[in-house]
Amino acid sequence: MTATTRQVGEREAREVAEAARESEWTRPSFAKKLYLGDFDLSLIHPQPHAVAADDVVRGEEYIARLAAYCETLDGLLIEREAKIPDEYLRGLAELGTFGIKIPTAYGGLGLPMSYYGKALMLVSSVHPSLSALVSAHQSIGVPEPVKMFGTDEQKQRFLPRCAAGAVTAFLLTEPDVGSDPARLASTATPTDDGTAYLLDGVKLWTTNGVIAELVVVMARVPEHEGGRGGISAFVVESDSPGITVENRNAFMGLRGIENGVTRFHQVRVPAENRLGREGDGLRIALTTLNTGRLSIPATTTAAAKWCLKIAREWSAERVQWGRPIGAHAAVAEKISFMAATTFALEAVLDLSANLADAGTKDIRIEVALAKLWASEMAWRIADELVQIRGGRGYETADSLAARGERAVPAEQILRDLRINRIFEGSTEIMHLLIAREAVDAHLSAAGDLASPDADLQAKAKAAVNASGFYAKWLPQLAVGKGADPRSYREFGPLAKHLRYVERSSRKLARQTFYGMGRWQAKLEYRQGFLARIVDIGAELFAMAASCSRAETLRSHGDAAQGESAYELAAVFCEQARLRVDHLFEQLWNNTDDADRRLAQQVLDGKHSWLEAGIVDPSEGTGPWIAQWQPGESTAENKSRRYR
């Protein structure tokens, strides 16, 4: 434990997270209604097309220029040198890539989310470190929070620099603080004259932090006279005295990523650099992440497309037992999964981006589902590619090239994709965040029934109030369009899958109610149950997105592409239905209780004899969590600039 770590209890941690959560629902949400048993397809189909004609022209022209530039870049060079060459960054800056989403009034391209996604797909296909850099800068770095929460003066001061190529970063995580911000230890202490804050602390995993010119820092302001204090957000100049990048971190993948450890010692930050009010920092961070998470579906879709291309070409070329390996059922099954899921990944990306561009729906759950589902499915696709490639899948691209074969970096894409299940909210944290939103109506209806601190009298009163809500809501789950074989017939052979989604949505809502009734306030500890509830909704969301995209392509594309889209969507839905049926079965037929008991026994050391007979090379190399103390850095500054 570090001396600077804030020790907080479970209740305070929950209260801090809940206070930062956006609790109002002023716009309709397809996914929220889906979890409540109301499958309202009209909210996503026909898909909104809010991009203006001139934006389409500008967007297509930019994507064409970016694609031409990406063709000149060498991803294997980035992998080999574990660094993005400065000339690559300068080239991206000249194209305006660092200002894709920044309004034209501030020197940016002002393009919509749909074209931002296309750009991320392109740069990611060169090397995922490029998309990590662009998205960390533009999705969660300085541009997005300043655009959303900055004053006019702050926008005029910072956005033109960001658009011109000033790389930025977002600094929240600390050595002992991850998804529990209540324990945040970095401080921003107001000066006596109130004109500035003195920033102290250490931030870990600062993506882009090594080369950033500007950073957004989350720090705790002590309560003081004239200010409420709390976790607050600041835009900080990276060359300010007292800032030291103490380490450039290295990872199993994303080898070109400029990720570091950054120390702040008595860094003077002008008061006018604070974003929003004191105490608004977590709300700003979470709101920024809502749209920032869409970068993950974009990069994972690009990876899936590449994996499918390689699998198709290789499986037709490689011959075993007198037939191309793709003709063997064991490999054909993998190719089918890859093709169908790649179609669904792009469907989820397109739908989410279109909803974001339209701005008429609340998409916080949709975006979270897209990030969660895309990161998991793309990882499976990459794993299947490595298996199809066999020993060549495990061999590096440089090694393949050295012995005269095509330099296919299959093992690299597997390493690079692994972080997406952790980035911007791990799968486990995303399950909890989405579950909290999905059961929000139940928690509101249950009131003190869902509170672990309420007494029996309060719970009894809450039970009476809850019965009124459920008396009206539950009967609506008995029957719906999914029971009518004529429903959704405009979707042709896909109609049966939409009927399945509608029926499953109502079943999902009923199962959530049963869980709420069974565990009440203890439901939040049934994380296995909640994770399966969330995963069912994610699959249903992907099915609906796939059917919508197939019909859109059939209606507005050429006939051959429309037919192909329908075939891909149909197979994807068949595969997804099997996963959903299995998840429903696991809701009540699982090993969750036994798993918890065994895990506790393991933690208590009861089964430590199982670990005998090995050598642990990490033993004695250092503490589990690096300790830090406020103060001046003694390390060499690893910060650098590309321009």
Side-chain angles (χ1 to χ4, degrees):
M1 182 181 69
T2 66
T4 49
T5 301
R6 292 188 76 249
Q7 298 304 307
V8 299
E10 181 180 354
R11 181 175 180 177
E12 181 183 348
R14 186 167 53 242
E15 288 174 348
V16 169
E18 190 66 19
R21 171 179 164 267
E22 186 181 356
S23 58
E24 295 294 321
W25 293 87
T26 58
R27 293 170 294 167
S29 166
F30 169 78
K32 182 175 178 63
K33 297 182 75 171
L34 184 73
Y35 280 106
L36 288 172
D38 182 4
F39 175 52
D40 188 352
L41 186 61
S42 68
L43 291 176
I44 63 169
H45 186 85
Q47 292 193 22
H49 294 283
V51 179
D54 62 332
D55 285 339
V56 171
V57 172
R58 294 191 308 110
E60 293 297 331
E61 189 273 335
Y62 166 72
I63 292 298
R65 288 191 294 118
L66 180 63
Y69 180 64
C70 286
E71 291 283 354
T72 70
L73 306 182
D74 184 355
L76 293 180
L77 175 66
I78 297 174
E79 185 70 10
R80 198 174 300 122
E81 298 189 356
K83 178 183 175 182
I84 301 171
D86 288 352
E87 58 267 27
Y88 287 13
L89 300 180
R90 284 191 286 268
L92 291 173
E94 290 170 5
L95 285 171
T97 308
F98 293 110
I100 297 174
K101 294 198 299 175
I102 295 175
T104 56
Y106 302 105
L109 298 180
L111 292 175
M113 181 66 71
S114 52
Y115 283 101
Y116 178 60
K118 293 177 187 293
L120 287 179
M121 287 175 61
L122 274 173
V123 296
S124 177
S125 63
V126 174
H127 196 283
S129 293
L130 287 171
S131 60
L133 180 136
V134 173
S135 63
H137 160 74
Q138 201 154 199
S139 296
I140 59 175
V142 171
E144 193 68 14
V146 167
K147 187 172 69 173
M148 297 180 70
F149 298 98
T151 63
D152 289 341
E153 187 273 336
Q154 288 171 334
K155 293 175 183 177
Q156 292 286 352
R157 192 151 50 101
F158 297 123
L159 292 183
R161 286 176 59 188
C162 296
V167 174
T168 70
F170 173 82
L171 279 57
L172 172 62
T173 305
E174 298 179 357
D176 199 25
V177 179
S179 298
D180 183 8
R183 302 169 69 244
L184 197 75
S186 294
T187 59
T189 306
T191 58
D192 291 338
D193 59 8
T195 62
Y197 295 84
L198 296 180
L199 186 60
D200 287 277
V202 171
K203 294 295 185 179
L204 177 63
W205 297 325
T206 59
T207 300
N208 289 358
V210 178
I211 62 172
E213 294 184 29
L214 292 167
V215 294
V216 175
V217 182
M218 298 293 159
R220 186 180 302 278
V221 177
E223 188 175 349
H224 59 99
E225 185 177 349
R228 61 174 181 166
I231 298 174
S232 306
F234 302 88
V235 179
V236 182
E237 298 278 356
S238 295
D239 60 358
S240 300
I243 298 180
T244 306
V245 177
E246 296 187 330
N247 192 61
R248 182 179 186 256
N249 304 322
F251 303 96
M252 68 180 286
L254 297 183
R255 289 184 174 170
I257 195 172
E258 297 288 354
N259 180 293
V261 176
T262 305
R263 175 180 290 271
F264 299 87
H265 172 59
Q266 293 288 286
V267 178
R268 186 179 180 86
V269 182
E272 57 267 25
N273 281 27
R274 189 189 70 230
L275 289 173
R277 300 176 301 166
E278 289 182 357
D280 284 352
L282 280 184
R283 181 175 65 87
I284 291 172
L286 292 177
T287 304
T288 300
L289 281 171
N290 274 341
T291 53
R293 288 192 174 108
L294 277 181
S295 62
I296 302 295
T299 57
T300 52
T301 297
K305 284 172 173 282
W306 180 82
C307 289
L308 178 61
K309 179 180 184 293
I310 296 299
R312 173 179 59 81
E313 295 174 352
W314 169 248
S315 297
E317 177 73 20
R318 176 67 162 162
V319 174
Q320 291 281 273
W321 298 298
R323 303 165 66 192
I325 62 171
H328 294 286
V331 175
E333 180 182 331
K334 298 179 187 301
I335 294 173
S336 172
F337 165 75
M338 294 172 73
T341 308
T342 297
F343 177 83
L345 282 166
E346 191 161 28
V348 167
L349 171 63
D350 286 352
L351 174 59
S352 301
N354 286 335
L355 290 172
D357 287 335
T360 57
K361 311 293 192 302
D362 190 319
I363 61 169
R364 73 186 88 159
I365 301 181
E366 286 83 347
V367 168
L369 286 174
K371 186 273 176 189
L372 167 69
W373 188 80
S375 63
E376 292 291 332
M377 300 309 284
W379 165 257
R380 293 191 203 178
I381 287 174
D383 188 56
E384 294 289 27
L385 173 64
V386 170
Q387 191 70 20
I388 290 172
R389 287 275 290 162
R392 290 173 172 85
Y394 195 67
E395 191 173 1
T396 67
D398 279 345
S399 178
L400 288 165
R403 57 184 187 81
E405 291 194 0
R406 183 166 167 174
V408 178
E411 60 83 29
Q412 180 199 324
I413 203 69
L414 191 66
R415 289 187 286 102
D416 287 337
L417 281 172
R418 186 59 182 83
I419 189 58
N420 292 317
R421 300 172 64 202
I422 300 171
F423 256 168
E424 298 182 22
S426 69
T427 290
E428 292 72 25
I429 292 299
M430 295 306 297
H431 277 145
L432 297 180
L433 291 176
I434 298 168
R436 173 62 184 87
E437 301 297 348
V439 302
D440 182 57
H442 297 281
L443 293 175
S444 298
D448 283 332
L449 276 176
S451 172
D453 304 314
D455 57 27
L456 289 177
Q457 183 177 0
K459 286 183 178 291
K461 183 178 179 181
V464 174
N465 294 333
S467 64
F469 169 79
Y470 288 117
K472 295 178 181 178
W473 178 68
L474 282 172
Q476 300 173 10
L477 303 180
V479 68
K481 292 178 68 175
D484 184 350
R486 298 166 298 179
S487 298
Y488 311 111
R489 56 187 175 185
E490 66 271 24
F491 285 84
L494 297 180
K496 65 178 182 180
H497 299 303
L498 290 174
R499 291 195 292 270
Y500 174 87
V501 173
E502 196 279 335
R503 294 194 304 273
S504 297
S505 173
R506 288 185 283 112
K507 181 179 180 180
L508 181 61
R510 292 194 299 268
Q511 299 299 313
T512 305
F513 167 72
Y514 299 152
M516 190 76 193
R518 179 174 178 178
W519 293 302
Q520 297 181 25
K522 295 182 180 179
L523 179 62
E524 66 175 295
Y525 301 109
R526 293 284 170 170
Q527 294 178 1
F529 177 86
L530 292 174
R532 295 179 193 106
I533 289 290
V534 169
D535 286 341
I536 291 170
E539 294 283 3
L540 298 179
F541 175 55
M543 289 177 68
S546 297
C547 291
S548 174
R549 182 172 184 241
E551 173 57 20
T552 300
L553 290 174
R554 186 193 66 81
S555 301
H556 303 289
D558 62 65
Q561 187 180 53
E563 180 183 357
S564 172
Y566 257 69
E567 291 170 347
L568 289 163
V571 174
F572 170 75
C573 287
E574 294 287 357
Q575 295 171 355
R577 287 173 70 154
L578 293 177
R579 294 192 291 268
V580 170
D581 290 344
H582 184 59
L583 287 165
F584 270 127
E585 169 67 20
Q586 286 187 308
L587 283 177
W588 308 104
N589 184 16
N590 55 64
T591 61
D592 288 357
D593 290 338
D595 292 340
R596 282 194 296 274
R597 286 194 300 270
L598 180 57
Q600 189 57 58
Q601 291 171 358
V602 170
L603 293 174
D604 291 341
K606 181 177 181 179
H607 305 297
S608 60
W609 58 270
L610 281 172
E611 302 160 12
I614 63 165
V615 173
D616 178 3
S618 72
E619 195 74 50
T621 59
W624 287 107
I625 299 171
Q627 297 186 7
W628 66 274
Q629 298 290 339
E632 190 172 359
S633 178
T634 59
E636 176 189 354
N637 192 356
K638 303 294 179 62
S639 177
R640 67 179 184 86
R641 298 289 178 271
Y642 82 92
R643 61 171 198 158

